[in-house]
Structures are given as structure tokens and as C-alpha cells.
Coordinates of all heavy atoms in Angstrom, one line a residue:
M273 N 15.3 32.9 -16.1 CA 15.8 31.6 -16.0 C 14.7 30.6 -16.6 O 13.6 30.7 -16.3 CB 16.1 31.2 -14.6 CG 16.6 29.8 -14.4 SD 17.0 29.4 -12.7 CE 18.6 28.9 -12.9
K274 N 15.1 29.8 -17.5 CA 14.2 28.9 -18.2 C 14.0 27.6 -17.3 O 14.9 27.1 -16.7 CB 14.9 28.4 -19.5 CG 14.0 27.5 -20.3 CD 14.6 27.2 -21.7 CE 13.7 26.2 -22.4 NZ 14.3 25.7 -23.6
N275 N 12.7 27.2 -17.2 CA 12.3 26.0 -16.5 C 12.6 24.8 -17.4 O 11.9 24.6 -18.4 CB 10.9 26.1 -16.0 CG 10.5 25.0 -15.1 OD1 11.1 24.0 -15.1 ND2 9.4 25.1 -14.4
I276 N 13.5 23.9 -17.0 CA 13.8 22.8 -17.8 C 12.7 21.7 -17.8 O 12.7 20.8 -18.6 CB 15.1 22.1 -17.3 CG1 15.0 21.6 -15.9 CG2 16.3 23.1 -17.5 CD1 16.2 20.7 -15.5
H277 N 11.7 21.8 -16.9 CA 10.7 20.8 -16.7 C 9.4 21.2 -17.5 O 8.4 20.4 -17.5 CB 10.3 20.6 -15.3 CG 11.5 20.1 -14.5 ND1 12.1 18.8 -14.7 CD2 12.2 20.6 -13.5 CE1 13.1 18.6 -13.9 NE2 13.2 19.7 -13.1
V278 N 9.4 22.3 -18.2 CA 8.2 22.7 -18.9 C 8.0 21.7 -20.1 O 9.0 21.4 -20.8 CB 8.3 24.2 -19.5 CG1 7.2 24.5 -20.5 CG2 8.3 25.1 -18.3
G279 N 6.8 21.2 -20.2 CA 6.5 20.3 -21.3 C 6.7 18.8 -20.9 O 6.4 17.9 -21.7
T280 N 7.3 18.5 -19.7 CA 7.5 17.1 -19.3 C 6.3 16.7 -18.5 O 5.6 17.6 -17.9 CB 8.8 16.9 -18.5 OG1 8.7 17.7 -17.4 CG2 10.0 17.4 -19.4
D281 N 6.1 15.4 -18.4 CA 5.0 15.0 -17.5 C 5.6 14.8 -16.1 O 6.8 14.8 -15.9 CB 4.3 13.7 -18.0 CG 5.2 12.5 -18.0 OD1 6.3 12.5 -17.4 OD2 4.8 11.5 -18.7
F282 N 4.7 14.6 -15.1 CA 5.2 14.5 -13.7 C 6.0 13.3 -13.4 O 7.0 13.3 -12.7 CB 3.9 14.5 -12.8 CG 4.3 14.7 -11.3 CD1 4.9 15.9 -10.9 CD2 4.0 13.8 -10.4 CE1 5.3 16.1 -9.6 CE2 4.3 14.0 -9.0 CZ 4.9 15.2 -8.7
D283 N 5.7 12.1 -14.1 CA 6.5 10.9 -13.9 C 7.9 11.2 -14.4 O 8.9 10.7 -13.8 CB 5.9 9.7 -14.7 CG 4.7 9.2 -14.0 OD1 4.4 9.5 -12.8 OD2 4.0 8.3 -14.6
E284 N 8.0 11.9 -15.5 CA 9.4 12.2 -16.0 C 10.1 13.1 -15.0 O 11.3 12.9 -14.8 CB 9.2 12.8 -17.4 CG 10.6 13.0 -18.1 CD 10.4 13.5 -19.5 OE1 9.4 13.1 -20.2 OE2 11.2 14.4 -19.9
F285 N 9.5 14.0 -14.5 CA 10.1 14.9 -13.5 C 10.6 14.1 -12.3 O 11.7 14.3 -11.8 CB 9.1 16.0 -13.0 CG 9.5 16.8 -11.8 CD1 10.5 17.7 -11.9 CD2 9.0 16.5 -10.6 CE1 11.0 18.4 -10.8 CE2 9.4 17.2 -9.5 CZ 10.4 18.2 -9.6
L286 N 9.7 13.2 -11.8 CA 10.1 12.4 -10.6 C 11.2 11.5 -10.9 O 12.1 11.3 -10.1 CB 8.9 11.6 -10.1 CG 7.8 12.4 -9.4 CD1 6.6 11.5 -9.2 CD2 8.2 13.0 -8.1
H287 N 11.3 11.0 -12.1 CA 12.4 10.1 -12.6 C 13.7 10.9 -12.6 O 14.7 10.5 -12.1 CB 12.1 9.5 -13.9 CG 13.2 8.7 -14.5 ND1 13.5 7.4 -13.9 CD2 14.1 8.9 -15.5 CE1 14.5 6.9 -14.6 NE2 14.9 7.8 -15.5
E288 N 13.6 12.1 -13.2 CA 14.8 13.0 -13.2 C 15.3 13.3 -11.8 O 16.5 13.5 -11.6 CB 14.5 14.2 -14.0 CG 14.3 14.0 -15.5 CD 13.8 15.2 -16.2 OE1 13.7 16.3 -15.6 OE2 13.6 15.1 -17.4
E289 N 14.4 13.5 -10.9 CA 14.8 13.9 -9.5 C 15.2 12.6 -8.7 O 15.6 12.8 -7.6 CB 13.6 14.6 -8.8 CG 13.2 15.9 -9.5 CD 14.3 17.0 -9.3 OE1 14.9 17.1 -8.2 OE2 14.6 17.6 -10.4
G290 N 15.0 11.4 -9.2 CA 15.3 10.2 -8.5 C 14.3 9.8 -7.5 O 14.6 9.0 -6.6
N291 N 13.0 10.3 -7.7 CA 12.0 10.0 -6.7 C 10.8 9.1 -7.2 O 9.8 8.9 -6.5 CB 11.4 11.3 -6.2 CG 12.4 12.1 -5.4 OD1 13.2 11.6 -4.7 ND2 12.2 13.4 -5.5
L292 N 10.9 8.7 -8.5 CA 9.8 8.0 -9.1 C 9.5 6.7 -8.4 O 8.3 6.4 -8.1 CB 10.1 7.7 -10.6 CG 8.9 7.0 -11.3 CD1 7.6 7.9 -11.3 CD2 9.3 6.8 -12.8
A293 N 10.4 5.8 -8.1 CA 10.2 4.5 -7.5 C 9.6 4.7 -6.1 O 8.6 4.0 -5.8 CB 11.5 3.7 -7.4
E294 N 10.1 5.6 -5.3 CA 9.6 5.8 -4.0 C 8.2 6.3 -4.0 O 7.3 5.9 -3.3 CB 10.5 6.8 -3.2 CG 10.1 7.1 -1.8 CD 11.0 8.1 -1.1 OE1 12.1 8.3 -1.6 OE2 10.5 8.6 -0.1
T295 N 7.9 7.3 -4.9 CA 6.6 7.8 -5.0 C 5.6 6.8 -5.5 O 4.4 6.7 -4.9 CB 6.6 9.0 -6.0 OG1 7.5 10.0 -5.6 CG2 5.2 9.7 -6.2
E296 N 5.9 5.9 -6.4 CA 5.1 4.9 -6.9 C 4.8 3.8 -5.8 O 3.7 3.3 -5.6 CB 5.6 4.2 -8.1 CG 5.5 5.1 -9.4 CD 6.0 4.4 -10.6 OE1 6.8 3.4 -10.5 OE2 5.6 4.9 -11.7
A297 N 5.9 3.5 -5.0 CA 5.7 2.6 -3.9 C 4.7 3.1 -2.8 O 3.9 2.4 -2.3 CB 7.1 2.3 -3.2
V298 N 4.8 4.4 -2.5 CA 3.8 5.0 -1.6 C 2.4 4.9 -2.1 O 1.5 4.6 -1.4 CB 4.3 6.4 -1.2 CG1 3.2 7.1 -0.4 CG2 5.6 6.4 -0.4
A299 N 2.3 5.2 -3.4 CA 1.0 5.2 -4.1 C 0.4 3.8 -4.0 O -0.8 3.6 -3.7 CB 1.0 5.7 -5.5
V300 N 1.2 2.8 -4.3 CA 0.7 1.4 -4.3 C 0.3 1.0 -2.9 O -0.7 0.4 -2.6 CB 1.8 0.4 -4.9 CG1 1.4 -1.0 -4.6 CG2 1.9 0.7 -6.3
K301 N 1.1 1.4 -1.9 CA 0.8 1.1 -0.5 C -0.4 1.7 0.0 O -1.2 1.1 0.7 CB 2.0 1.5 0.4 CG 1.8 1.2 1.9 CD 1.7 -0.3 2.1 CE 1.3 -0.7 3.5 NZ 2.2 -0.3 4.6
R302 N -0.7 3.0 -0.5 CA -1.9 3.6 -0.1 C -3.2 2.9 -0.6 O -4.2 2.7 0.1 CB -2.0 5.1 -0.6 CG -1.1 6.0 0.2 CD -1.1 7.4 -0.5 NE -0.1 8.2 0.2 CZ -0.4 9.3 0.8 NH1 -1.6 9.8 0.8 NH2 0.6 10.0 1.4
V303 N -3.1 2.4 -1.8 CA -4.2 1.6 -2.4 C -4.4 0.3 -1.7 O -5.5 -0.1 -1.4 CB -3.9 1.3 -3.9 CG1 -4.9 0.3 -4.5 CG2 -3.9 2.6 -4.7
I304 N -3.3 -0.4 -1.3 CA -3.4 -1.6 -0.6 C -4.0 -1.4 0.8 O -4.9 -2.1 1.2 CB -2.0 -2.3 -0.5 CG1 -1.6 -2.8 -1.8 CG2 -2.0 -3.5 0.5 CD1 -0.1 -3.3 -1.9
A305 N -3.5 -0.4 1.5 CA -4.1 -0.1 2.8 C -5.5 0.3 2.7 O -6.4 -0.2 3.5 CB -3.3 1.1 3.5
Y306 N -5.9 1.0 1.7 CA -7.3 1.4 1.5 C -8.2 0.1 1.2 O -9.3 0.0 1.8 CB -7.4 2.4 0.3 CG -8.8 2.7 0.0 CD1 -9.5 3.7 0.7 CD2 -9.5 2.1 -1.1 CE1 -10.9 4.0 0.4 CE2 -10.8 2.4 -1.4 CZ -11.5 3.4 -0.7 OH -12.8 3.7 -1.0
Q307 N -7.7 -0.8 0.4 CA -8.4 -2.0 0.1 C -8.6 -2.8 1.3 O -9.7 -3.4 1.5 CB -7.7 -2.7 -1.0 CG -7.8 -2.1 -2.4 CD -7.1 -2.8 -3.5 OE1 -6.1 -3.6 -3.2 NE2 -7.4 -2.6 -4.7
I308 N -7.6 -2.9 2.1 CA -7.7 -3.7 3.4 C -8.7 -3.1 4.3 O -9.6 -3.8 4.8 CB -6.3 -3.9 4.0 CG1 -5.3 -4.7 3.2 CG2 -6.5 -4.5 5.4 CD1 -3.9 -4.6 3.7
E309 N -8.6 -1.8 4.5 CA -9.6 -1.1 5.4 C -11.0 -1.3 4.9 O -12.0 -1.5 5.6 CB -9.2 0.3 5.6 CG -7.9 0.4 6.4 CD -7.4 1.9 6.6 OE1 -7.9 2.7 5.8 OE2 -6.6 2.1 7.5
E310 N -11.2 -1.1 3.5 CA -12.5 -1.3 3.0 C -13.1 -2.7 3.2 O -14.3 -2.9 3.6 CB -12.5 -1.0 1.5 CG -12.4 0.4 1.1 CD -13.7 1.2 1.4 OE1 -14.7 0.8 0.8 OE2 -13.6 2.2 2.1
S311 N -12.3 -3.7 3.0 CA -12.7 -5.1 3.3 C -13.0 -5.3 4.7 O -13.9 -6.0 5.1 CB -11.6 -6.0 2.8 OG -12.0 -7.4 2.8
M312 N -12.2 -4.7 5.6 CA -12.5 -4.8 7.1 C -13.8 -4.3 7.4 O -14.6 -4.9 8.1 CB -11.4 -4.1 7.9 CG -10.0 -4.8 7.9 SD -8.7 -3.8 8.6 CE -9.3 -3.6 10.3
Q313 N -14.1 -3.1 6.8 CA -15.4 -2.5 7.1 C -16.6 -3.3 6.5 O -17.6 -3.5 7.2 CB -15.5 -1.1 6.5 CG -14.6 -0.1 7.3 CD -14.6 1.3 6.6 OE1 -15.2 1.6 5.6 NE2 -13.9 2.2 7.2
E314 N -16.4 -3.8 5.3 CA -17.4 -4.6 4.6 C -17.7 -5.8 5.5 O -18.9 -6.2 5.5 CB -16.8 -5.0 3.3 CG -17.8 -5.8 2.4 CD -17.2 -6.2 1.1 OE1 -16.5 -5.4 0.5 OE2 -17.3 -7.4 0.7
H315 N -16.7 -6.5 6.1 CA -16.9 -7.7 6.9 C -17.0 -7.4 8.4 O -17.1 -8.4 9.2 CB -15.8 -8.7 6.6 CG -15.8 -9.2 5.2 ND1 -15.0 -8.6 4.2 CD2 -16.5 -10.2 4.6 CE1 -15.3 -9.2 3.1 NE2 -16.1 -10.2 3.3
H316 N -17.1 -6.1 8.8 CA -17.2 -5.8 10.2 C -16.1 -6.4 11.0 O -16.4 -7.0 12.1 CB -18.6 -6.1 10.7 CG -19.7 -5.5 9.9 ND1 -20.0 -4.2 9.8 CD2 -20.5 -6.1 9.0 CE1 -21.0 -4.0 9.0 NE2 -21.3 -5.1 8.5
I317 N -14.9 -6.3 10.6 CA -13.7 -6.9 11.3 C -12.9 -5.8 11.9 O -12.5 -4.8 11.2 CB -12.8 -7.7 10.3 CG1 -13.7 -8.9 9.7 CG2 -11.6 -8.3 11.0 CD1 -12.9 -9.6 8.6
S318 N -12.7 -5.8 13.2 CA -11.8 -4.8 13.8 C -10.3 -5.1 13.6 O -10.0 -6.2 13.2 CB -12.1 -4.8 15.3 OG -11.6 -6.0 15.9
K319 N -9.5 -4.1 13.9 CA -8.1 -4.3 13.8 C -7.6 -5.5 14.7 O -6.8 -6.3 14.3 CB -7.3 -3.1 14.1 CG -7.4 -2.0 13.0 CD -6.5 -0.8 13.5 CE -6.6 0.3 12.5 NZ -5.8 1.5 12.9
S320 N -8.1 -5.5 15.9 CA -7.7 -6.5 16.8 C -8.1 -7.9 16.3 O -7.3 -8.9 16.4 CB -8.3 -6.3 18.2 OG -7.8 -5.1 18.7
A321 N -9.3 -8.0 15.8 CA -9.7 -9.3 15.3 C -8.9 -9.7 14.0 O -8.6 -10.9 13.9 CB -11.2 -9.2 14.9
L322 N -8.6 -8.8 13.2 CA -7.9 -9.1 12.0 C -6.4 -9.5 12.4 O -5.9 -10.5 11.8 CB -7.8 -7.9 11.0 CG -7.0 -8.2 9.7 CD1 -7.6 -9.4 8.9 CD2 -7.1 -6.9 8.8
A323 N -5.9 -8.9 13.3 CA -4.5 -9.2 13.8 C -4.5 -10.7 14.3 O -3.6 -11.5 14.0 CB -4.0 -8.3 14.9
R324 N -5.6 -11.0 15.1 CA -5.7 -12.4 15.6 C -5.8 -13.4 14.4 O -5.2 -14.5 14.4 CB -6.9 -12.5 16.5 CG -6.6 -12.1 17.9 CD -7.7 -12.5 18.9 NE -9.1 -12.0 18.5 CZ -9.6 -10.8 18.7 NH1 -8.9 -10.0 19.4 NH2 -10.8 -10.5 18.3
M325 N -6.6 -13.1 13.4 CA -6.8 -13.9 12.3 C -5.5 -14.1 11.5 O -5.3 -15.2 10.9 CB -7.9 -13.4 11.4 CG -9.3 -13.3 12.0 SD -10.4 -12.2 11.1 CE -10.7 -13.1 9.6
M326 N -4.7 -13.1 11.5 CA -3.4 -13.2 10.8 C -2.3 -13.8 11.7 O -1.2 -14.0 11.2 CB -3.0 -11.8 10.4 CG -3.9 -11.1 9.3 SD -3.3 -9.4 9.0 CE -1.7 -9.6 8.4
R327 N -2.6 -14.0 12.9 CA -1.7 -14.5 13.9 C -0.5 -13.6 14.0 O 0.7 -14.0 13.9 CB -1.2 -15.9 13.6 CG -2.3 -16.9 13.7 CD -1.8 -18.4 13.5 NE -2.8 -19.3 13.7 CZ -3.7 -19.8 12.8 NH1 -3.5 -19.4 11.6 NH2 -4.6 -20.7 13.2
T328 N -0.8 -12.3 14.1 CA 0.2 -11.2 14.3 C -0.2 -10.3 15.3 O -1.3 -10.4 15.9 CB 0.5 -10.5 12.9 OG1 1.7 -9.8 13.0 CG2 -0.7 -9.7 12.5
S329 N 0.6 -9.3 15.6 CA 0.3 -8.3 16.6 C -0.5 -7.1 16.0 O -0.4 -6.9 14.8 CB 1.6 -7.7 17.2 OG 2.3 -7.0 16.2
R330 N -1.1 -6.4 16.8 CA -1.9 -5.2 16.4 C -0.9 -4.2 15.8 O -1.2 -3.5 14.9 CB -2.7 -4.7 17.6 CG -3.3 -3.3 17.4 CD -4.6 -3.4 16.6 NE -5.1 -2.1 16.3 CZ -5.9 -1.4 17.1 NH1 -6.4 -1.9 18.1 NH2 -6.3 -0.2 16.7
S331 N 0.2 -4.0 16.4 CA 1.2 -3.0 16.0 C 1.7 -3.4 14.6 O 1.9 -2.5 13.7 CB 2.4 -2.9 16.9 OG 3.0 -4.1 17.1
S332 N 1.9 -4.7 14.3 CA 2.3 -5.2 13.0 C 1.2 -4.8 11.9 O 1.5 -4.4 10.8 CB 2.5 -6.7 13.0 OG 2.9 -7.1 11.7
L333 N -0.1 -5.0 12.3 CA -1.2 -4.7 11.4 C -1.2 -3.2 11.2 O -1.5 -2.7 10.1 CB -2.5 -5.2 12.0 CG -3.7 -4.9 11.2 CD1 -3.6 -5.5 9.8 CD2 -5.0 -5.4 11.8
D334 N -1.0 -2.4 12.3 CA -1.0 -0.9 12.1 C 0.1 -0.5 11.1 O -0.1 0.4 10.3 CB -0.7 -0.3 13.4 CG -1.9 -0.3 14.3 OD1 -3.1 -0.4 13.8 OD2 -1.8 -0.1 15.6
R335 N 1.3 -1.2 11.1 CA 2.3 -0.8 10.1 C 1.8 -1.2 8.7 O 2.1 -0.5 7.8 CB 3.6 -1.6 10.5 CG 4.4 -1.0 11.6 CD 5.8 -1.6 11.7 NE 5.8 -3.0 12.0 CZ 5.6 -3.6 13.2 NH1 5.5 -2.8 14.3 NH2 5.7 -4.9 13.3
L336 N 1.1 -2.3 8.6 CA 0.6 -2.7 7.3 C -0.4 -1.7 6.8 O -0.5 -1.4 5.6 CB -0.1 -4.1 7.4 CG -0.8 -4.6 6.1 CD1 0.2 -4.8 5.0 CD2 -1.5 -5.9 6.4
L337 N -1.2 -1.1 7.7 CA -2.2 -0.2 7.3 C -1.7 1.2 7.2 O -2.5 2.1 6.7 CB -3.4 -0.2 8.3 CG -4.2 -1.5 8.3 CD1 -5.2 -1.5 9.4 CD2 -4.8 -1.8 7.0
D338 N -0.5 1.5 7.6 CA 0.1 2.8 7.5 C 0.5 3.1 6.0 O 1.4 2.4 5.5 CB 1.3 2.9 8.4 CG 2.1 4.2 8.3 OD1 1.6 5.1 7.5 OD2 3.1 4.4 9.0
P339 N -0.2 4.0 5.3 CA 0.1 4.2 3.9 C 1.5 4.7 3.6 O 2.0 4.6 2.5 CB -1.0 5.2 3.5 CG -1.5 5.8 4.7 CD -1.2 4.9 5.8
E340 N 2.1 5.3 4.6 CA 3.5 5.9 4.4 C 4.6 4.8 4.6 O 5.7 5.0 4.1 CB 3.7 7.0 5.3 CG 2.8 8.2 5.1 CD 2.8 8.8 3.8 OE1 3.9 9.0 3.2 OE2 1.8 9.1 3.2
N341 N 4.2 3.7 5.2 CA 5.2 2.6 5.5 C 5.2 1.7 4.3 O 4.3 0.8 4.2 CB 4.9 1.9 6.8 CG 5.9 0.9 7.2 OD1 6.7 0.5 6.4 ND2 5.9 0.5 8.4
T342 N 6.2 1.8 3.4 CA 6.2 0.9 2.2 C 6.9 -0.4 2.5 O 7.0 -1.2 1.6 CB 6.9 1.7 1.1 OG1 8.2 2.0 1.5 CG2 6.1 2.9 0.7
S343 N 7.4 -0.6 3.7 CA 8.1 -1.9 4.0 C 7.0 -3.0 4.3 O 6.5 -3.0 5.5 CB 9.0 -1.7 5.2 OG 9.6 -2.9 5.5
V344 N 6.7 -3.8 3.4 CA 5.7 -4.9 3.5 C 6.2 -6.1 2.7 O 6.8 -5.9 1.7 CB 4.3 -4.4 3.1 CG1 4.3 -4.1 1.7 CG2 3.3 -5.4 3.5
T345 N 6.0 -7.3 3.3 CA 6.4 -8.5 2.6 C 5.3 -9.1 1.9 O 4.1 -8.9 2.2 CB 7.0 -9.5 3.6 OG1 6.0 -10.0 4.4 CG2 8.2 -8.9 4.4
L346 N 5.6 -9.9 0.9 CA 4.5 -10.7 0.2 C 3.8 -11.7 1.2 O 2.6 -11.9 1.0 CB 5.1 -11.5 -1.0 CG 5.6 -10.6 -2.2 CD1 6.3 -11.5 -3.2 CD2 4.4 -9.9 -2.8
L347 N 4.6 -12.2 2.1 CA 4.0 -13.1 3.1 C 3.0 -12.4 3.9 O 1.9 -12.9 4.2 CB 5.1 -13.7 4.0 CG 4.7 -14.7 5.0 CD1 4.0 -15.9 4.4 CD2 5.9 -15.1 5.9
T348 N 3.2 -11.2 4.3 CA 2.2 -10.4 5.1 C 1.0 -10.1 4.2 O -0.1 -10.2 4.7 CB 2.9 -9.1 5.6 OG1 4.0 -9.4 6.4 CG2 1.9 -8.3 6.4
L349 N 1.2 -9.7 3.0 CA 0.1 -9.5 2.1 C -0.7 -10.7 1.9 O -2.0 -10.7 1.8 CB 0.6 -8.9 0.8 CG 1.2 -7.5 0.8 CD1 1.8 -7.1 -0.5 CD2 0.2 -6.5 1.3
E350 N -0.1 -11.8 1.7 CA -0.8 -13.1 1.5 C -1.6 -13.4 2.8 O -2.7 -13.9 2.7 CB 0.2 -14.2 1.2 CG -0.5 -15.6 0.9 CD -1.4 -15.5 -0.3 OE1 -1.1 -14.9 -1.3 OE2 -2.5 -16.2 -0.2
S351 N -1.0 -13.2 4.0 CA -1.7 -13.5 5.2 C -2.9 -12.6 5.4 O -4.0 -13.1 5.8 CB -0.7 -13.2 6.4 OG -1.3 -13.4 7.6
V352 N -2.8 -11.3 5.1 CA -4.0 -10.5 5.2 C -5.1 -10.8 4.2 O -6.3 -10.8 4.5 CB -3.7 -9.0 5.2 CG1 -3.3 -8.5 3.8 CG2 -4.8 -8.2 5.8
A353 N -4.7 -11.2 3.0 CA -5.6 -11.6 2.0 C -6.4 -12.8 2.4 O -7.6 -12.9 2.3 CB -4.9 -11.9 0.6
Q354 N -5.7 -13.8 2.9 CA -6.3 -15.1 3.4 C -7.3 -14.8 4.5 O -8.4 -15.3 4.6 CB -5.3 -16.1 3.8 CG -4.6 -16.8 2.6 CD -3.6 -17.8 3.1 OE1 -3.5 -18.1 4.2 NE2 -3.0 -18.4 2.1
A355 N -6.8 -13.9 5.5 CA -7.7 -13.6 6.6 C -9.0 -12.9 6.2 O -10.0 -13.1 6.8 CB -6.9 -12.7 7.6
L356 N -8.9 -12.1 5.1 CA -10.1 -11.4 4.6 C -10.9 -12.2 3.6 O -11.8 -11.7 3.0 CB -9.7 -10.1 4.1 CG -9.1 -9.1 5.1 CD1 -8.5 -7.9 4.4 CD2 -10.2 -8.7 6.1
G357 N -10.4 -13.4 3.3 CA -11.1 -14.2 2.3 C -10.9 -13.7 0.9 O -11.8 -13.9 0.0
R358 N -9.8 -13.1 0.7 CA -9.5 -12.5 -0.6 C -8.3 -13.3 -1.2 O -7.6 -14.0 -0.5 CB -9.1 -11.0 -0.5 CG -10.1 -10.2 0.3 CD -11.2 -9.4 -0.5 NE -10.8 -8.8 -1.7 CZ -10.7 -7.4 -1.8 NH1 -10.9 -6.7 -0.8 NH2 -10.5 -6.9 -3.0
Q359 N -8.0 -13.0 -2.5 CA -6.8 -13.6 -3.1 C -5.8 -12.5 -3.5 O -6.2 -11.5 -4.0 CB -7.2 -14.3 -4.4 CG -6.1 -15.0 -5.1 CD -6.6 -15.8 -6.3 OE1 -7.8 -15.9 -6.6 NE2 -5.6 -16.3 -7.1
L360 N -4.6 -12.7 -3.1 CA -3.5 -11.7 -3.5 C -3.1 -12.0 -4.9 O -2.8 -13.1 -5.4 CB -2.3 -11.9 -2.6 CG -1.1 -11.0 -2.9 CD1 -1.5 -9.6 -2.6 CD2 0.1 -11.4 -2.0
T361 N -3.1 -10.9 -5.7 CA -2.7 -10.9 -7.1 C -1.6 -9.9 -7.2 O -1.8 -8.7 -7.0 CB -3.8 -10.6 -8.1 OG1 -4.9 -11.5 -7.8 CG2 -3.4 -10.7 -9.5
V362 N -0.4 -10.3 -7.7 CA 0.7 -9.3 -7.9 C 1.1 -9.5 -9.4 O 1.2 -10.5 -10.0 CB 1.9 -9.7 -7.1 CG1 3.1 -8.8 -7.4 CG2 1.6 -9.7 -5.6
R363 N 1.2 -8.3 -10.1 CA 1.6 -8.3 -11.5 C 2.4 -7.1 -11.8 O 2.4 -6.1 -11.1 CB 0.4 -8.4 -12.4 CG -0.4 -7.1 -12.4 CD -1.6 -7.2 -13.3 NE -2.5 -6.1 -13.3 CZ -2.2 -5.0 -14.0 NH1 -1.3 -4.9 -14.9 NH2 -3.0 -3.9 -13.9
L364 N 3.3 -7.2 -12.8 CA 4.0 -6.1 -13.3 C 3.3 -5.5 -14.5 O 2.8 -6.2 -15.4 CB 5.4 -6.5 -13.7 CG 6.3 -7.1 -12.6 CD1 7.6 -7.6 -13.2 CD2 6.6 -6.1 -11.5
G365 N 3.1 -4.2 -14.5 CA 2.4 -3.6 -15.6 C 3.3 -2.9 -16.6 O 4.4 -2.8 -16.5

């Protein structure tokens, strides 16, 4: 049996399988969660303290930091950026 995916790249395979957008969303969320955690460590800010600074709950912050949970709003991202003294930049590549 011939493998129809030989010679294609992984993005093309994911697109054909209908998983490209979801996979890219998870990858982006992992990067965002990593950047938030790095900034928290850099500034010695605990999860509880960051949640207070964002005026949100600790469980809400945990969802934001969960790399598998791709459900996040721009408002939440802006809130965490402000709390960490950072600027949110969104662009289409």
C-alpha cells in the first residue's frame, strides 16, 4: 500500500487531516503560557499575586497558564500583559 503522505510536510499533513488550526492554536498557547511563567519568575510573582493584580481568580489564571486550554480572550491577554508590565502584540503572519 502506497503512503499518500510521503514527500509532504507535516503542516500539509495536518491540513489534510483537518487538524492544522487546532495544532497551531495549541502551539501558540504553549508559547504564551511559557512567556507568562517566565515573566512571573523573572519578577518573583506568585500565581496568587498575579491573579490579584489581574483582578481575577486563581482558577482563571490556572486556565490561562494551561497550555492545552486554547480558550483565551484578548481581554485576558491584555490584563496579564499589563499586570506583568508588558505590552500585548498580536499580528497575523
Side-chain angles (χ1 to χ4, degrees):
M273 177 177 240
K274 184 179 177 185
N275 185 344
I276 64 169
H277 299 294
V278 171
T280 63
D281 67 13
F282 193 60
D283 284 351
E284 190 174 321
F285 168 75
L286 290 172
H287 179 70
E288 290 173 4
E289 296 295 314
N291 297 326
L292 182 60
E294 182 180 343
T295 303
E296 287 181 343
V298 171
V300 168
K301 180 62 186 300
R302 285 178 188 238
V303 170
I304 290 169
Y306 176 80
Q307 289 175 338
I308 293 168
E309 289 175 346
E310 286 288 304
S311 190
M312 289 170 62
Q313 289 177 0
E314 180 182 319
H315 294 95
H316 307 287
I317 299 172
S318 68
K319 286 182 180 181
S320 297
L322 182 57
R324 279 192 305 274
M325 293 164 70
M326 292 174 61
R327 294 185 174 94
T328 192
S329 67
R330 168 80 188 267
S331 60
S332 178
L333 179 59
D334 285 337
R335 284 190 299 276
L336 176 62
L337 294 174
D338 178 0
E340 300 299 319
N341 184 343
T342 58
S343 178
V344 63
T345 66
L346 289 175
L347 184 59
T348 301
L349 292 174
E350 183 62 38
S351 177
V352 73
Q354 286 182 1
L356 293 171
R358 311 263 317 251
Q359 182 177 357
L360 177 65
T361 305
V362 179
R363 67 180 178 87
L364 297 175

